[in-house]
Amino acid sequence: LGGALYVAGGADEGYRCLNVAERLSVVGGETIWGALPAMPTARASCAGAAAAGAVFVAGGVATTWTPLDAFERFDPAADAWT
């Protein structure tokens, strides 16, 4: 989306799910990682897609490895999750 790569969720060394999201931008040949606001739902093994100027994150698992049905949208212009 906009020439950037978005990464969302994951798990730490203790297998606890994360609500982090980051953006990788390439500016003038330099790669720049930037933290985004925290996602409303911590998750690992989720799916993501970009469409209509937004990033969508769906599903995944919770820390208990229970499947999630959560679906969230990140609006880069507003720098916010909904």
Side-chain angles (χ1 to χ4, degrees), residues 10-76:
D12 65 13
E13 298 84 8
Y15 301 103
R16 291 175 299 257
C17 291
L18 305 173
N19 64 344
V20 298
E22 297 183 1
R23 173 178 34 226
L24 173 65
S25 301
V26 179
V27 179
E30 182 181 350
T31 56
I32 302 169
W33 279 102
L36 301 176
M39 288 189 298
T41 307
R43 61 179 82 215
S45 301
C46 54
V55 175
F56 299 89
V57 179
V61 294
T63 296
T64 58
W65 300 108
T66 304
L68 294 170
D69 62 2
F71 182 83
E72 290 153 352
R73 175 185 179 269
F74 179 73
D75 179 351

